[in-house]
Amino acid sequence: MTISTTPGIITCKAAVVRKSGEPLQVEEIQVDPPKSSEVRIKMLCASMCHTDILCCNGLPVPLFPRIPGHEGVGVIESVGENVENLKAGDTVMPLYLGECGGCLNCSSGRTNLCHKYPLSFTGVQSDGTSRMSIGGERIFHHFSCSTWSEYIVIEANYAVKVDSRVSLPHASFLCCGFTTGFGSTWREVSIQKGSSVAVIGLGAVGLGAVKGAQVLGASKIIGIDINDMKHEKAKAFGITDFINPKLSDKSVSALIQEATGGLGVDYVFECTGVPALLNEAIEGSKVGLGTVVFIGAGLEKSGELNYIPLLCGRTIVGSIYGGVRPQTDLPQIVEKCVNKEIDLDQLITHEITLEQINKGFEYMKQPDGIKVVIKF
């Protein structure tokens, strides 16, 4: 492969969503060269996440036309001015969070939400413009990424070098789903050895939370999903118990309490974003001691929380990317993958080409669907 050193506009293919809820169209787009502090990346591999479904339905902000995708891996094709730590030819993961290391939040060490390189919902770069277009028509980015395009431009701080020992699909999964769940168990809360844990929703995020709880020594890990096909997969990641709420007329919280002698669990990780399950997660945790981590995002942006269970000493924590800091924490998760402490092969259930992107959404809905890999 030839790496360009004199960047110009590149014409390539991308999956574009033009209206909320409509099928995506693979179209030819133009990708501008990188501006100062930016890099242009030739995508090698991407994957599909449920957050991309939200993007295609206009959530959290209805910006169209748009190119979805926020998980992927690629090689830097060209760099703009003032890029210091990356160069053409580097293989990188484009992320939707950055880490400056110096702002109030980064300096605190307590959060991954950087002030200088924030999670962006504007659909454009920091200068207010897009790097993607179709015949002069502006195309919005998805967060800072839009990985469902053969080429993308991203602020250099949002790109993290890929350890060559990690496969491309595995690196792609670490851009969001699995890392979000895994990181939340030690960055958002600190699971103690012997703790009891419940994980609601056993997709990639939920399986990440399961694995994180196992690594940290939780003695009881209850996996909850309405799909029985997730049982064996979740067992491989570390669950000790499995509950399918569809097989009972009891509530999810009642089933958790039943499995814990009426006490509930120390930690509940809610990974679905379904409003009705938020209260179930709260009431499934221990009175006075329970902590609930909200990780999932759904098609509804709000839900009603019952006040009394919260007054009874429970704690709620919200999480973006599991609290993982891209430069500081992500390498630790990568190292666990390299050392085979984490096996991400089991997440892969389907592979598609970019032209099959709408088929990918069908695969995500299948009972065995977890991660769909897009190969360029």
Side-chain angles (χ1 to χ4, degrees), residues 97-309:
L97 291 177
E99 180 185 352
C100 75
C103 70
L104 177 65
N105 277 5
C106 287
S107 298
S108 75
R110 294 159 44 203
T111 176
N112 63 346
L113 297 178
C114 175
H115 287 151
K116 185 174 182 180
Y117 303 108
L119 172 66
S120 174
F121 297 112
T122 64
V124 293
Q125 301 291 76
S126 59
D127 66 354
T129 64
S130 172
R131 302 292 174 269
M132 304 178 296
S133 60
I134 299 178
E137 176 189 24
R138 177 173 66 175
I139 308 296
F140 288 104
H141 298 250
H142 181 30
F143 299 134
S144 53
C145 309
S146 291
T147 57
W148 296 358
S149 173
E150 292 177 330
Y151 284 85
I152 67 171
V153 173
I154 191 170
E155 161 70 48
N157 192 274
Y158 289 86
V160 174
K161 287 185 184 179
V162 175
D163 190 311
S164 60
R165 298 171 295 172
V166 178
S167 75
L168 296 183
H170 291 186
S172 183
F173 302 158
L174 294 179
C175 290
C176 183
F178 183 86
T179 298
T180 297
F182 188 88
S184 67
T185 63
W186 59 283
R187 280 292 301 163
E188 301 293 11
V189 297
S190 182
I191 291 179
Q192 303 298 310
K193 188 174 182 179
S195 297
S196 55
V197 173
V199 178
I200 303 175
L202 297 174
V205 175
L207 292 177
V210 168
K211 189 63 182 178
Q214 183 199 50
V215 168
L216 291 168
S219 60
K220 192 176 191 68
I221 306 172
I222 305 170
I224 302 166
D225 202 286
I226 59 175
N227 182 357
D228 278 331
M229 293 186 73
K230 299 289 180 66
H231 186 181
E232 289 304 313
K233 185 81 71 173
K235 187 183 292 186
F237 279 85
I239 65 166
T240 59
D241 303 74
F242 178 79
I243 293 174
N244 183 342
K246 277 195 169 181
L247 303 181
S248 173
D249 57 1
K250 297 179 181 179
S251 66
V252 169
S253 57
L255 291 170
I256 294 173
Q257 291 167 2
E258 188 176 84
T260 54
L263 291 176
V265 292
D266 296 301
Y267 301 97
V268 180
F269 294 86
E270 204 302 299
C271 306
T272 70
V274 176
L277 291 176
L278 302 182
N279 287 307
E280 295 300 320
I282 294 168
E283 295 183 35
S285 68
K286 288 180 177 177
V287 170
L289 298 172
T291 299
V292 182
V293 184
F294 289 167
I295 310 176
L299 292 173
E300 298 178 53
K301 292 192 288 186
S302 63
E304 184 176 300
L305 296 183
N306 295 333
Y307 191 44
I308 298 302

Side-chain angles (χ1 to χ4, degrees), residues 80-102:
E81 296 178 354
N82 302 315
V83 174
E84 297 179 355
N85 299 318
L86 298 172
K87 64 183 185 304
D90 284 345
T91 301
V92 295
M93 302 159 58
L95 302 178
Y96 52 88
L97 291 177
E99 180 185 352
C100 75

Side-chain angles (χ1 to χ4, degrees), residues 350-366:
H350 301 87
E351 292 185 356
I352 61 171
T353 63
L354 187 62
E355 286 73 15
Q356 298 171 309
I357 193 67
N358 290 308
K359 188 70 175 177
F361 286 114
E362 296 177 23
Y363 289 144
M364 292 176 74
K365 296 176 184 177
Q366 291 184 359

